[in-house]
Amino acid sequence: MLVPHRTRDRSPVGASARTPEARLDEAVGLAAAIDLNVVVATLVPLAEIRPATFLGKGKVEELAAIVEAEGVDLAYVDAALSPVQQRNLERAWKTKVIDRTALILEIFGRRARTREGTLQVELAHLNYQKSRLVRSWTHLERQRGGFGFLGGPGETQIETDRRLIGERITAIERELEQVTRTRSLHRKSRERVPFPVVALVGYTNAGKSTLFNRLTRAEVFAENLLFATLDPTLRALALPHGTRIILSDTVGFISELPTTLVAAFRATLEEVIEADLILHVRDVAHLDTAAQAADVAKVLGELGIDADDHARILEVWNKVDLLDEGARAQTEAEVERRPDDQRPALVSALSGDGVDALLDQVEARITAGRITRTLALAPEDGEGLAWLYRHADVIARTGDENTGRILVTVRVPSERLEEIDRRYRVEGFHHK
Ligand SMILES: Nc1nc2c(ncn2[C@@H]2O[C@H](COP(=O)(O)OP(=O)(O)OP(=O)(O)O)[C@@H](O)[C@H]2O)c(=O)[nH]1
Ligand SMILES: [Mg+2]
């Protein structure tokens, strides 16, 4: 695992605000997420980027010796390598070389669970490979025979592979269209059940799935792995005062998430794009919590969501159980300093600490834009009743003994109110 950084100011080569050490830590975590056995993890100071080999000549040679001595099968460079740089490094080190995009693709590939997720990753993978399918991969084939993870095409294979890749891409795109259509149908049918959608987003490993499980008591794969969750998971959930919501767990974000992947997962992240409320889960015990939050804000921005839209985004500061007394007091003070409508929820998804208060906060946010109406329907108005069940969140239904009418209490987004009032003469009481 090689993390290059600039010699001058130790700044990373990419656009992230982390220290090289933190990036190395994260790289090792990423490797562990796909069961790679890390034999060497090191920072590589870099005076300037070489177009041919990315790293300087001396470094390349020095590392070649290490690769040989340690019997390294795979070298990871924490940067975006051009196809040429990747090829030249493979040649110099006589081993497979991957960059950040390739590693993230690999992880995504292993974690995808639904058909759609798998297809999205394969598509991103093929598009990435297409640009890298160059003749010189063959030097590896001849020397090593190629194996599994390191597999590359042989010389005569390249043209065939290029064509096959093209065909496969077309086939995937077609299937994806189908899958997406089915999913949007599902969403449409859910729209008729007008529960607000609350989406959990956050940096990978922040604790989204753990929180999701705690809130829904579901058993969703939560592990100390980066990118444990790749496909969105939806569950219905009743809040303390009876408001029903749909909670959505989503894929974790990461710094410099390849843009092709953001595009690929746009569809999967539709739940987020359309969510009524977004819970941004942050690991506040992590040294890089601020940089992680900035990365999440960036990805949200790419999805067209303004991270500063406090009406729509609520920060959840998770893992408070890991803070020592001093840090916890400091964090609490920071929370207090925020204006009411921007105040993060402090929780431990693991211990459940703060989760009840979070649920109250979520309910307050959700009901804020929604209005409760009690409507009086004629007993024979079955159609009207059915309409309400389809288009509004029915929270209570009783009979009026005096008039024989049916009293239905519904909660609807304020935009819907006019339609409801037009359809039903409101004879009951109004309340907010
Ligand atoms: N100490 C502590 N650990 C937590 C807390 N919440 C989550 N964790 C741990 O953090 C790790 C990651 O949790 P997940 O819930 O899988 O994280 P995630 O955000 O869903 O991660 P991805 O799906 O990979 O993006 C697991 O080992 C959890 O047990 C918490 O409040 N306190
Ligand atoms: Mg998860």
Side-chain angles (χ1 to χ4, degrees):
M1 311 299 297
L2 305 171
V3 173
H5 65 83
R6 301 202 186 265
T7 318
R8 196 174 359 104
D9 53 1
R10 297 180 47 78
S11 71
V13 179
S16 136
R18 288 172 176 70
T19 62
E21 288 77 10
R23 289 178 66 98
L24 190 60
D25 256 12
E26 183 175 280
V28 170
L30 288 169
I34 49 169
D35 309 314
L36 291 177
N37 175 23
V38 177
V39 286
V40 181
T42 184
L43 300 176
V44 186
L46 188 71
E48 58 174 336
I49 293 174
R50 300 296 167 102
T53 49
F54 194 80
L55 307 172
K57 190 160 177 278
K59 268 293 162 203
V60 173
E61 281 166 11
E62 190 185 319
L63 289 163
I66 296 179
V67 164
E68 169 141 40
E70 300 289 338
V72 167
D73 292 321
L74 176 70
Y76 167 74
V77 183
D78 194 56
L81 297 177
S82 73
V84 171
Q85 289 164 344
Q86 184 185 10
R87 181 192 349 143
N88 287 336
L89 287 175
E90 288 188 335
R91 194 173 282 157
W93 295 341
K94 301 188 180 61
T95 194
K96 172 87 176 142
V97 174
I98 60 171
D99 68 356
R100 192 173 173 88
T101 305
L103 182 63
I104 293 176
L105 279 169
E106 187 68 28
I107 296 173
F108 274 46
R110 305 262 186 119
R111 296 277 179 270
R113 245 171 293 272
T114 61
R115 186 74 196 131
E116 183 178 12
T118 313
L119 289 170
Q120 299 279 20
V121 178
E122 194 181 346
L123 186 61
H125 221 143
L126 288 171
N127 279 318
Y128 175 79
Q129 252 177 35
K130 202 172 54 175
S131 66
R132 282 167 204 255
L133 205 55
V134 282
R135 272 173 194 283
S136 24
W137 275 53
T138 50
H139 68 277
L140 277 178
E141 298 316 298
R142 283 200 214 93
Q143 280 153 3
R144 323 189 51 133
F147 51 98
F149 192 77
L150 309 187
E155 187 144 13
T156 53
Q157 276 266 276
I158 289 171
E159 283 314 311
T160 332
D161 284 357
R162 213 188 287 279
R163 205 191 64 235
L164 288 178
I165 283 183
E167 283 169 8
R168 182 79 192 121
I169 286 178
T170 315
I172 291 180
E173 282 172 344
R174 211 168 294 142
E175 194 179 338
L176 263 175
E177 232 167 77
Q178 186 61 42
V179 177
T180 314
R181 202 171 315 133
T182 315
R183 220 163 50 83
S184 85
L185 281 179
H186 284 166
R187 200 178 17 255
K188 285 237 172 57
S189 67
R190 210 174 55 235
E191 260 163 31
R192 279 193 264 122
V193 182
F195 297 162
V197 172
V198 177
L200 298 169
V201 301
Y203 205 78
T204 180
N205 223 40
K208 299 175 294 296
S209 296
T210 308
L211 185 62
F212 183 86
N213 287 343
R214 177 155 294 278
L215 297 180
T216 61
R217 289 170 199 83
E219 277 309 312
V220 175
F221 189 65
E223 255 192 68
N224 202 2
L225 286 180
L226 294 157
F227 293 114
T229 307
L230 255 185
D231 295 310
T233 315
L234 302 172
R235 288 284 149 79
L237 168 72
L239 295 173
H241 296 98
T243 310
R244 276 168 299 174
I245 59 165
I246 288 175
L247 191 67
S248 156
D249 187 14
T250 61
V251 55
F253 298 166
I254 190 157
S255 67
E256 292 163 74
L257 186 67
T259 29
T260 51
L261 270 181
V262 177
F265 278 87
R266 220 194 133 80
T268 318
L269 290 170
E270 265 164 28
E271 310 296 346
V272 177
I273 298 170
E274 294 176 8
D276 297 83
L277 180 65
I278 294 171
L279 300 182
H280 174 185
V281 182
R282 292 180 52 184
D283 176 353
V284 278
H286 198 286
L287 275 177
D288 277 326
T289 186
Q292 292 181 344
D295 286 325
V296 170
K298 189 159 167 274
V299 180
L300 286 176
E302 284 170 43
L303 294 171
I305 299 163
D306 174 11
D308 290 324
D309 180 358
H310 294 288
R312 205 162 156 231
I313 301 182
L314 172 61
E315 282 196 18
V316 178
W317 290 7
N318 189 33
K319 305 202 187 181
V320 286
D321 57 292
L322 294 179
L323 298 174
D324 61 34
E325 231 170 274
R328 180 159 182 152
Q330 214 177 351
T331 308
E332 279 167 0
E334 211 177 313
V335 169
E336 285 308 311
R337 272 199 301 276
R338 303 273 180 112
D340 268 349
D341 61 332
Q342 301 178 16
R343 198 159 287 163
L346 268 186
V347 307
S348 165
L350 201 63
S351 74
D353 200 16
V355 166
D356 288 341
L358 167 65
L359 285 175
D360 284 336
Q361 233 172 315
V362 169
E363 189 156 30
R365 294 282 195 109
I366 286 292
T367 49
R370 296 165 80 83
I371 290 169
T372 305
R373 274 274 199 278
T374 297
L375 312 166
L377 272 65
E380 66 278 8
D381 188 8
E383 197 186 313
L385 192 62
W387 190 91
L388 281 178
Y389 272 98
R390 273 200 312 274
H391 296 94
D393 184 7
V394 175
I395 53 179
R397 175 180 160 187
T398 53
D400 184 332
E401 279 173 21
N402 298 326
T403 61
R405 298 197 150 219
I406 306 169
L407 297 180
V408 186
T409 306
V410 297
R411 192 181 283 126
V412 288
S414 44
E415 315 84 82
R416 262 257 155 85
L417 200 62
E418 200 186 318
E419 191 181 355
I420 298 260
D421 283 350
R422 203 174 347 105
R423 250 186 126 93
Y424 302 85
R425 241 170 343 116
V426 180
E427 299 187 7
F429 29 87
H430 302 196
H431 51 132
K432 225 191 95 81

Short mmCIF file of all heavy atoms in Angstrom, two decimals, residues 2-5 12-14 23 46 49 54-55 76-82 85 98-103 128 132 256:
data_model
loop_
_atom_site.label_atom_id
_atom_site.label_comp_id
_atom_site.label_asym_id
_atom_site.label_seq_id
_atom_site.Cartn_x
_atom_site.Cartn_y
_atom_site.Cartn_z
N LEU A 2 0.83 1.98 -1.06
CA LEU A 2 1.70 3.14 -1.19
C LEU A 2 0.86 4.41 -1.21
O LEU A 2 -0.06 4.53 -2.00
CB LEU A 2 2.50 3.05 -2.49
CG LEU A 2 3.31 1.76 -2.66
CD1 LEU A 2 3.89 1.68 -4.06
CD2 LEU A 2 4.41 1.68 -1.61
N VAL A 3 1.16 5.31 -0.29
CA VAL A 3 0.44 6.57 -0.27
C VAL A 3 1.42 7.71 -0.60
O VAL A 3 2.22 8.10 0.23
CB VAL A 3 -0.23 6.81 1.10
CG1 VAL A 3 -0.84 8.21 1.16
CG2 VAL A 3 -1.31 5.75 1.34
N PRO A 4 1.37 8.18 -1.82
CA PRO A 4 2.27 9.26 -2.20
C PRO A 4 1.80 10.58 -1.60
O PRO A 4 0.61 10.82 -1.46
CB PRO A 4 2.13 9.33 -3.74
CG PRO A 4 1.20 8.24 -4.13
CD PRO A 4 0.49 7.78 -2.92
N HIS A 5 2.74 11.41 -1.24
CA HIS A 5 2.38 12.76 -0.80
C HIS A 5 3.48 13.70 -1.23
O HIS A 5 4.62 13.29 -1.47
CB HIS A 5 2.17 12.83 0.71
CG HIS A 5 3.42 12.56 1.50
ND1 HIS A 5 4.36 13.53 1.77
CD2 HIS A 5 3.89 11.41 2.04
CE1 HIS A 5 5.36 12.99 2.46
NE2 HIS A 5 5.10 11.71 2.63
N PRO A 12 -1.51 15.74 0.15
CA PRO A 12 -1.78 14.56 -0.67
C PRO A 12 -1.78 14.95 -2.15
O PRO A 12 -1.91 16.12 -2.48
CB PRO A 12 -3.16 14.12 -0.22
CG PRO A 12 -3.78 15.33 0.38
CD PRO A 12 -2.69 16.21 0.88
N VAL A 13 -1.63 13.95 -2.98
CA VAL A 13 -1.59 14.22 -4.40
C VAL A 13 -2.99 14.54 -4.92
O VAL A 13 -3.18 15.34 -5.80
CB VAL A 13 -0.98 13.03 -5.16
CG1 VAL A 13 -0.95 13.29 -6.64
CG2 VAL A 13 0.43 12.78 -4.62
N GLY A 14 -3.98 13.91 -4.32
CA GLY A 14 -5.35 14.20 -4.72
C GLY A 14 -5.86 15.46 -4.07
O GLY A 14 -5.09 16.32 -3.64
N ARG A 23 -4.41 8.87 5.42
CA ARG A 23 -4.72 8.23 4.14
C ARG A 23 -4.17 6.81 4.11
O ARG A 23 -4.80 5.90 3.57
CB ARG A 23 -4.14 9.05 2.99
CG ARG A 23 -4.87 10.35 2.78
CD ARG A 23 -4.21 11.15 1.68
NE ARG A 23 -4.34 10.48 0.39
CZ ARG A 23 -5.26 10.79 -0.49
NH1 ARG A 23 -6.14 11.71 -0.23
NH2 ARG A 23 -5.31 10.16 -1.64
N LEU A 46 7.01 12.62 -2.70
CA LEU A 46 7.00 12.82 -4.14
C LEU A 46 7.33 14.28 -4.42
O LEU A 46 6.60 15.17 -4.00
CB LEU A 46 5.59 12.48 -4.61
CG LEU A 46 5.25 12.41 -6.07
CD1 LEU A 46 5.91 11.17 -6.67
CD2 LEU A 46 3.74 12.32 -6.24
N ILE A 49 5.17 14.87 -9.96
CA ILE A 49 4.57 13.71 -10.61
C ILE A 49 5.23 13.48 -11.97
O ILE A 49 5.32 14.39 -12.78
CB ILE A 49 3.06 13.93 -10.78
CG1 ILE A 49 2.40 13.95 -9.40
CG2 ILE A 49 2.44 12.83 -11.65
CD1 ILE A 49 0.93 14.29 -9.43
N PHE A 54 4.62 8.16 -12.68
CA PHE A 54 4.02 8.81 -11.53
C PHE A 54 5.08 9.13 -10.47
O PHE A 54 5.30 10.26 -10.12
CB PHE A 54 2.88 7.98 -10.93
CG PHE A 54 2.03 8.76 -9.96
CD1 PHE A 54 1.04 9.62 -10.43
CD2 PHE A 54 2.23 8.67 -8.59
CE1 PHE A 54 0.27 10.36 -9.55
CE2 PHE A 54 1.45 9.41 -7.71
CZ PHE A 54 0.47 10.26 -8.19
N LEU A 55 5.74 8.07 -9.96
CA LEU A 55 6.79 8.26 -8.95
C LEU A 55 8.13 8.52 -9.64
O LEU A 55 8.31 8.21 -10.82
CB LEU A 55 6.91 7.01 -8.08
CG LEU A 55 5.60 6.51 -7.45
CD1 LEU A 55 5.82 5.16 -6.78
CD2 LEU A 55 5.08 7.53 -6.45
N TYR A 76 -0.65 -1.23 -4.51
CA TYR A 76 -1.72 -0.24 -4.55
C TYR A 76 -1.10 1.15 -4.43
O TYR A 76 -0.31 1.41 -3.51
CB TYR A 76 -2.70 -0.47 -3.40
CG TYR A 76 -3.64 0.68 -3.18
CD1 TYR A 76 -4.69 0.91 -4.06
CD2 TYR A 76 -3.47 1.56 -2.11
CE1 TYR A 76 -5.55 1.99 -3.88
CE2 TYR A 76 -4.32 2.64 -1.91
CZ TYR A 76 -5.36 2.85 -2.81
OH TYR A 76 -6.20 3.91 -2.63
N VAL A 77 -1.44 2.02 -5.35
CA VAL A 77 -0.98 3.40 -5.27
C VAL A 77 -2.18 4.29 -5.00
O VAL A 77 -3.14 4.30 -5.78
CB VAL A 77 -0.26 3.84 -6.57
CG1 VAL A 77 0.27 5.27 -6.42
CG2 VAL A 77 0.88 2.88 -6.90
N ASP A 78 -2.14 5.00 -3.89
CA ASP A 78 -3.29 5.81 -3.47
C ASP A 78 -3.35 7.11 -4.26
O ASP A 78 -3.06 8.19 -3.75
CB ASP A 78 -3.18 6.09 -1.97
CG ASP A 78 -4.48 6.63 -1.39
OD1 ASP A 78 -5.50 5.96 -1.54
OD2 ASP A 78 -4.46 7.73 -0.81
N ALA A 79 -3.71 6.99 -5.50
CA ALA A 79 -3.79 8.14 -6.40
C ALA A 79 -4.53 7.67 -7.65
O ALA A 79 -4.86 6.50 -7.77
CB ALA A 79 -2.39 8.62 -6.78
N ALA A 80 -4.79 8.59 -8.55
CA ALA A 80 -5.36 8.19 -9.83
C ALA A 80 -4.22 8.07 -10.83
O ALA A 80 -3.57 9.05 -11.16
CB ALA A 80 -6.38 9.23 -10.29
N LEU A 81 -3.94 6.86 -11.26
CA LEU A 81 -2.85 6.62 -12.22
C LEU A 81 -3.41 6.63 -13.63
O LEU A 81 -4.51 6.13 -13.87
CB LEU A 81 -2.20 5.26 -11.95
CG LEU A 81 -1.50 5.05 -10.61
CD1 LEU A 81 -0.99 3.62 -10.52
CD2 LEU A 81 -0.36 6.05 -10.43
N SER A 82 -2.63 7.17 -14.56
CA SER A 82 -3.04 7.06 -15.96
C SER A 82 -2.73 5.64 -16.40
O SER A 82 -1.91 4.95 -15.78
CB SER A 82 -2.26 8.06 -16.81
OG SER A 82 -0.92 7.61 -16.94
N GLN A 85 1.00 5.19 -16.77
CA GLN A 85 1.73 5.10 -15.50
C GLN A 85 1.53 3.72 -14.87
O GLN A 85 2.48 3.09 -14.39
CB GLN A 85 1.23 6.18 -14.53
CG GLN A 85 1.66 7.58 -14.96
CD GLN A 85 0.87 8.66 -14.26
OE1 GLN A 85 -0.19 8.42 -13.67
NE2 GLN A 85 1.38 9.89 -14.33
N ILE A 98 -2.58 -1.38 -8.94
CA ILE A 98 -3.91 -0.78 -9.04
C ILE A 98 -3.90 0.59 -8.38
O ILE A 98 -3.08 0.87 -7.51
CB ILE A 98 -5.03 -1.65 -8.42
CG1 ILE A 98 -4.78 -1.89 -6.94
CG2 ILE A 98 -5.16 -2.97 -9.17
CD1 ILE A 98 -5.95 -2.55 -6.24
N ASP A 99 -4.80 1.44 -8.81
CA ASP A 99 -4.92 2.77 -8.20
C ASP A 99 -6.19 2.83 -7.37
O ASP A 99 -6.88 1.82 -7.17
CB ASP A 99 -4.82 3.87 -9.26
CG ASP A 99 -6.02 3.89 -10.19
OD1 ASP A 99 -6.90 3.00 -10.08
OD2 ASP A 99 -6.08 4.79 -11.04
N ARG A 100 -6.48 4.03 -6.89
CA ARG A 100 -7.60 4.17 -5.96
C ARG A 100 -8.94 3.77 -6.59
O ARG A 100 -9.74 3.06 -5.97
CB ARG A 100 -7.65 5.61 -5.45
CG ARG A 100 -8.59 5.80 -4.29
CD ARG A 100 -8.46 7.21 -3.73
NE ARG A 100 -9.46 7.46 -2.73
CZ ARG A 100 -9.35 7.20 -1.45
NH1 ARG A 100 -8.23 6.65 -1.00
NH2 ARG A 100 -10.31 7.44 -0.60
N THR A 101 -9.14 4.21 -7.82
CA THR A 101 -10.40 3.87 -8.48
C THR A 101 -10.57 2.36 -8.57
O THR A 101 -11.64 1.82 -8.26
CB THR A 101 -10.43 4.47 -9.90
OG1 THR A 101 -10.20 5.87 -9.79
CG2 THR A 101 -11.77 4.22 -10.56
N ALA A 102 -9.49 1.67 -8.97
CA ALA A 102 -9.58 0.22 -9.14
C ALA A 102 -9.88 -0.45 -7.81
O ALA A 102 -10.68 -1.40 -7.74
CB ALA A 102 -8.27 -0.32 -9.71
N LEU A 103 -9.26 0.02 -6.74
CA LEU A 103 -9.48 -0.60 -5.43
C LEU A 103 -10.94 -0.40 -4.99
O LEU A 103 -11.60 -1.33 -4.54
CB LEU A 103 -8.53 0.01 -4.39
CG LEU A 103 -8.65 -0.61 -2.99
CD1 LEU A 103 -8.27 -2.10 -3.01
CD2 LEU A 103 -7.76 0.12 -1.98
N TYR A 128 -13.85 1.45 -16.88
CA TYR A 128 -12.50 1.72 -16.38
C TYR A 128 -11.50 0.86 -17.13
O TYR A 128 -10.46 1.32 -17.57
CB TYR A 128 -12.48 1.43 -14.88
CG TYR A 128 -11.12 1.55 -14.22
CD1 TYR A 128 -10.61 2.80 -13.89
CD2 TYR A 128 -10.38 0.43 -13.90
CE1 TYR A 128 -9.37 2.91 -13.26
CE2 TYR A 128 -9.15 0.53 -13.28
CZ TYR A 128 -8.65 1.78 -12.96
OH TYR A 128 -7.44 1.88 -12.35
N ARG A 132 -7.93 0.93 -20.19
CA ARG A 132 -6.65 0.38 -19.75
C ARG A 132 -6.24 -0.87 -20.50
O ARG A 132 -5.25 -1.49 -20.19
CB ARG A 132 -6.71 0.09 -18.26
CG ARG A 132 -6.55 1.39 -17.57
CD ARG A 132 -6.86 1.44 -16.15
NE ARG A 132 -7.19 2.83 -15.90
CZ ARG A 132 -6.38 3.67 -15.28
NH1 ARG A 132 -5.25 3.29 -14.78
NH2 ARG A 132 -6.72 4.92 -15.16
N GLU A 256 -12.68 11.27 -2.65
CA GLU A 256 -12.32 11.01 -4.05
C GLU A 256 -13.01 9.78 -4.60
O GLU A 256 -12.41 8.99 -5.32
CB GLU A 256 -10.81 10.87 -4.19
CG GLU A 256 -10.09 12.18 -3.93
CD GLU A 256 -8.63 11.94 -3.66
OE1 GLU A 256 -7.92 11.64 -4.61
OE2 GLU A 256 -8.22 12.03 -2.50
#
